[in-house]
Amino acid sequence: MGLFSEGNRKVLKQWWKGLLLLVISVVIGSGIWFYPVLYQSNPGSKGRAVTILILRGTSAQKIAALLKEKKIIRSPEKFLWAAKLHGARRDLKAGLYRLPLGESNSKLVQILRKGKITEIKVSLPEGIRSQKMASIFHQKIGV
């Protein structure tokens, strides 16, 4: 008879089929969960953008809260998952950004990771007071 008798082979074959079905289910389930986290469009009309300022030392959690507050993302949790899946939670760069609305979390993480900041040219007359300077910056930057 031995270890691989006809009865044992059938049990082993059923066990492997069950294991294969479990692995396939986990892979499909993961794909169903990860797709919206990474690639589902966030709210807003394509073609529009929002200006945000991210200060040096701002954590990924605070950045996610800011993006939610400005209605750039739907869910801070999904944004943080996308940042984690990209390995970028600690690599999001500070700066002034003009972020497009309607983009996926994955695209937003890539923008913030690469530091694609917005440059704004401002001319200040000589001898201007700091309050007037702040007012000009506020008008130009919109923050």
Side-chain angles (χ1 to χ4, degrees), residues 4 9 14-15 35 39 43 46 61-62 64-65 69 76 84 89 97 117 119-120 126 129-131 139 142:
F4 293 107
R9 276 190 226 152
Q14 286 179 342
W15 188 84
Y35 181 81
Y39 302 111
K46 292 241 181 208
Q61 289 84 359
K62 288 185 180 177
E69 178 186 317
K84 186 172 186 166
R89 265 186 102 149
Y97 291 90
I117 58 173
E119 291 184 11
I120 297 174
E126 262 186 73
R129 294 194 172 274
S130 60
Q131 288 177 327
Q139 287 174 340

Side-chain angles (χ1 to χ4, degrees), residues 47-52 96-100 111 116-118 141:
R48 291 189 53 224
V50 174
T51 302
I52 64 164
L96 180 68
Y97 291 90
R98 187 119 176 99
L99 295 176
I111 291 169
K116 292 183 178 180
I117 58 173
T118 300
I141 297 172

Side-chain angles (χ1 to χ4, degrees), residues 42-124:
N42 279 298
S45 303
K46 292 241 181 208
R48 291 189 53 224
V50 174
T51 302
I52 64 164
L53 177 63
I54 298 174
L55 301 175
R56 181 172 284 141
T58 304
S59 69
Q61 289 84 359
K62 288 185 180 177
I63 292 171
L66 176 64
L67 295 176
K68 171 71 174 162
E69 178 186 317
K70 298 287 186 174
K71 296 181 173 51
I72 297 170
I73 61 172
R74 276 189 184 86
S75 165
E77 294 79 17
K78 286 184 179 180
F79 176 82
L80 291 171
W81 268 105
K84 186 172 186 166
L85 291 170
H86 281 284
R89 265 186 102 149
R90 295 176 191 244
D91 295 337
L92 303 177
K93 307 259 188 303
L96 180 68
Y97 291 90
R98 187 119 176 99
L99 295 176
L101 296 177
E103 285 294 344
S104 68
N105 288 325
S106 182
K107 180 70 173 175
L108 293 171
V109 167
Q110 289 173 10
I111 291 169
L112 295 174
R113 185 182 207 180
K114 290 179 181 174
K116 292 183 178 180
I117 58 173
T118 300
E119 291 184 11
I120 297 174
K121 293 184 181 185
V122 178
S123 295
L124 299 171

Side-chain angles (χ1 to χ4, degrees), residues 6-31:
E6 189 64 34
N8 285 345
R9 276 190 226 152
K10 284 182 182 180
V11 170
L12 192 59
K13 192 173 183 179
Q14 286 179 342
W15 188 84
W16 278 108
K17 282 181 183 179
L19 182 62
L20 182 61
L21 183 61
L22 176 66
V23 168
I24 290 171
S25 297
V26 167
V27 169
I28 291 172
S30 297

